[in-house]
Amino acid sequence: MRPHLDEVADDMIQEIQTRVSEYDRPGDGSYSGTLRLAVERVLHFFVDRVADPGHDSAPVADFFRAIGRGEAGEGRSLDAMQTAMRVGGMVAWRRLTEGADVLHVSPRTLGAVGEVLMEFQDELAHAAAEGYSQARAAVAGEMQRRRKRLLDLLFADPPAAREAIADLAAAAHWPVPRTVAAVALGRPRDARQPAFPPDVLADLTRRTPSLIVPDPDGPGRAKLVDRALAGTLAVVGPTVPLMEAARSIQWARKTLCLVQRGVIEADDGPGGQSGVIRCVEHMSTLILFQDEGLITSLADLRLAPLAHLRPSQQDRLAETLLAWLQSGRNANEVAMRLHVHPQTVRYRLRQLEELFGDQLLDPDLRFDLEIVLRARALLAENAGERIVPSSHAAVGDSGEVVTFHRN
């Protein structure tokens, strides 16, 4: 075979350029030279393999790994190269069978050479695919690092410069949106990770796994986000301008904490907490728990008249007072809300009037009472926490000294 390698190389190149359009570049001398170098190198290594089955083919495999990396770097698939390899293999086999007839090579010998040819082709295709995958993984890893860095810049408080964000977004191939919503995720219970649309920035390695969803209020975007987060405990922050993404993630994290405490209820899916929760649907609760120290202090002050009662009595009267405030101070509606007899409600209301006196006539004090009673109810019903008498002293409007703590 050795005396005919140059001739076979010419045939291969001509056939490849005829049948694979990507390799037909008549005006590109450097590309033609590269193609000839690849074909000649393959042919020489192939003949060396036939002559010596133990011949080291690592150099040509490395060469094809480099070709695979180059194709990935140019953004092309391996389809054209694999087609060219098949065409080249067919030309080589055709010349082998023609030479075998002239030289009267036995079928057994020809079959052995053909087997080497197929094995060699398979090795080179595998090497090219390996190089291609390595390059793609490196590109994907670098792109992911850029996107995580972009997430850091958007979540920074104060925010990074708009120009820095625009430059990094361009490098990360992320179209800059007008508005965004941040998402805070609970830790998944299994190793499976949700698959997000390509325009969603994600960093699941953060202490609180987080996302940025561009243009969250666009057509169909809410359903898209819900599908991507199905089975995951996720809190979507409010929609904000791009440069205010830090505010959106702060509210999302606060809401997630309240969900994990049980203050805000989440739909439980199979295996535990899951479901998409939107901050905008719980803004009043977020405001209420923005500063729990203030709520506790206000409760110490406004609920002081209940301090001397047993916890069970406090619970009944607090529940009745909240229902009364929420129902426009209508005893019958309170009875329906609490599923008790109206006479029971009237008895409790008389107790409340004796305890709170003129405070129940003051609109501002009623507003304060509703705030602390709502917080008390949310803690008791969902989080299992209660406000009960304890060691912290507070003075009520009547001057009575009382003690409160939360447990």
Side-chain angles (χ1 to χ4, degrees), residues 251 258 263-264 281-290 378:
W251 282 108
L258 293 177
V263 175
I264 293 175
E281 298 173 1
H282 302 278
M283 294 302 285
S284 60
T285 302
L286 285 168
I287 293 170
L288 200 58
F289 285 86
Q290 175 68 4
L378 285 169

Side-chain angles (χ1 to χ4, degrees), residues 78-100:
L78 288 179
D79 293 347
M81 193 207 72
Q82 291 170 341
T83 302
M85 290 181 66
R86 288 194 294 271
V87 170
M90 287 189 292
V91 172
W93 179 247
R94 183 168 65 237
R95 294 300 300 265
L96 280 170
T97 55
E98 291 171 355

Side-chain angles (χ1 to χ4, degrees), residues 201-313:
L201 297 180
D203 186 357
L204 304 184
T205 64
R206 302 171 75 92
R207 185 171 62 179
T208 300
S210 305
L211 317 173
I212 285 183
V213 180
D215 298 321
D217 298 331
R221 296 292 286 175
K223 290 183 178 179
L224 186 68
V225 170
D226 288 351
R227 284 197 300 271
L229 297 174
T232 303
L233 175 59
V235 175
V236 181
T239 299
V240 296
L242 176 69
M243 299 305 293
E244 297 180 25
R247 181 164 62 88
S248 185
I249 192 60
Q250 287 167 5
W251 282 108
R253 289 171 183 159
K254 289 178 184 294
T255 305
L256 179 62
C257 289
L258 293 177
V259 171
Q260 291 171 331
R261 281 176 59 188
V263 175
I264 293 175
E265 289 186 286
D267 293 332
D268 284 351
Q273 281 187 325
S274 63
V276 178
I277 296 138
R278 287 176 166 78
C279 286
V280 293
E281 298 173 1
H282 302 278
M283 294 302 285
S284 60
T285 302
L286 285 168
I287 293 170
L288 200 58
F289 285 86
Q290 175 68 4
D291 189 331
E292 294 189 46
L294 280 177
I295 286 291
T296 301
S297 296
L298 186 60
D300 287 347
L301 180 64
R302 296 295 177 232
L303 300 183
L306 302 179
H308 65 283
L309 302 176
R310 295 190 306 273
S312 59
Q313 290 177 303

Side-chain angles (χ1 to χ4, degrees), residues 1-2 46-55:
M1 292 187 285
R2 292 191 191 279
F46 169 64
V47 174
D48 290 342
R49 172 73 69 84
V50 173
D52 177 11
H55 182 75

